[in-house]
Amino acid sequence: MFIQTESTPNPATLKFLPGQTVLEVGTADFPSADGASASPLAQRIFAVNGVVGVFFGTDFVTVTKGDETQWDHIKPAILGAIMEHFQSGQPVMAGDAQASSGHAEHSGEDSEIVGQIKELLDSRVRPAVAQDGGDITFHGFDRGVVYLHMQGACAGCPSSTLTLKMGIENLLRHYIPEVTEVRPVAV
């Protein structure tokens, strides 16, 4: 098994490509070791000293390290943990744990606008962000303000504010006049 690695715009996060499917559908975000019990793979990766976040996409795993940790010191152990997991035959997600489709539900008078927002996010934004090892999902819409949740390499990325304001906000405002602003949320 050969696992490729790619840098991301976030210097604290690396993208690992195991060359096979990680999740069939959706994404899974583990911003801390606390929720890792839902995934044997996440548990293995968090066992590496210095790992502070794990995120799964369809064909990649992104790992975020702590500030004091150097990639040279933990990258071999992370590669080993990923390789061991896929060779073990264990599932990525345990038992009935499910990956997330990402978007929060929204009903009410703005449901048509929210549908347009989600469609633009799914068709234009999420594929590009996945190439950088992350995901951006819809969290809410209130009086012209779109609230988005950033995951994986996007969470804590130095360029995430620029991505939100200059990229996503401009895109949504262009296609949906009711959108006035985009803001990040922490979940």
Side-chain angles (χ1 to χ4, degrees), residues 1-3 17-20 79 82-87:
M1 176 176 207
F2 179 72
I3 302 171
L17 298 146
Q20 60 191 64
L79 287 165
I82 294 170
M83 190 174 300
E84 278 177 24
H85 175 80
F86 282 106
Q87 290 174 342

Side-chain angles (χ1 to χ4, degrees), residues 162-176 179 181-182:
L162 188 64
T163 299
L164 270 182
K165 290 294 180 186
M166 301 307 288
I168 299 168
E169 184 176 291
N170 287 343
L171 174 81
L172 293 178
R173 288 173 64 190
H174 175 77
Y175 287 103
I176 307 167
V179 172
E181 185 181 358
V182 173

Side-chain angles (χ1 to χ4, degrees), residues 119-142:
E119 173 60 31
L120 280 170
L121 290 173
D122 287 344
S123 63
R124 300 277 184 100
V125 177
R126 293 177 83 188
V129 172
Q131 288 185 338
D132 286 338
D135 197 10
I136 296 178
T137 58
F138 174 83
H139 189 74
F141 179 73
D142 184 34

Side-chain angles (χ1 to χ4, degrees), residues 61-122:
V61 174
T62 55
V63 178
T64 303
K65 68 174 185 64
D67 293 337
E68 292 79 41
T69 307
Q70 299 299 315
W71 281 118
D72 292 348
H73 299 136
I74 66 169
K75 185 177 167 183
I78 294 168
L79 287 165
I82 294 170
M83 190 174 300
E84 278 177 24
H85 175 80
F86 282 106
Q87 290 174 342
S88 76
Q90 283 187 297
V92 171
M93 301 298 286
D96 58 355
Q98 296 292 314
S100 166
S101 67
H103 298 308
E105 293 299 317
H106 183 93
S107 58
E109 60 187 58
D110 297 326
S111 60
E112 188 175 314
I113 294 168
V114 168
Q116 292 173 2
I117 292 167
K118 289 179 179 180
E119 173 60 31
L120 280 170
L121 290 173
D122 287 344

Side-chain angles (χ1 to χ4, degrees), residues 6-27:
E6 293 179 359
S7 59
T8 71
N10 184 347
T13 304
L14 271 181
K15 182 177 176 182
F16 295 82
L17 298 146
Q20 60 191 64
T21 301
V22 177
L23 290 177
E24 293 288 336
V25 188
T27 61

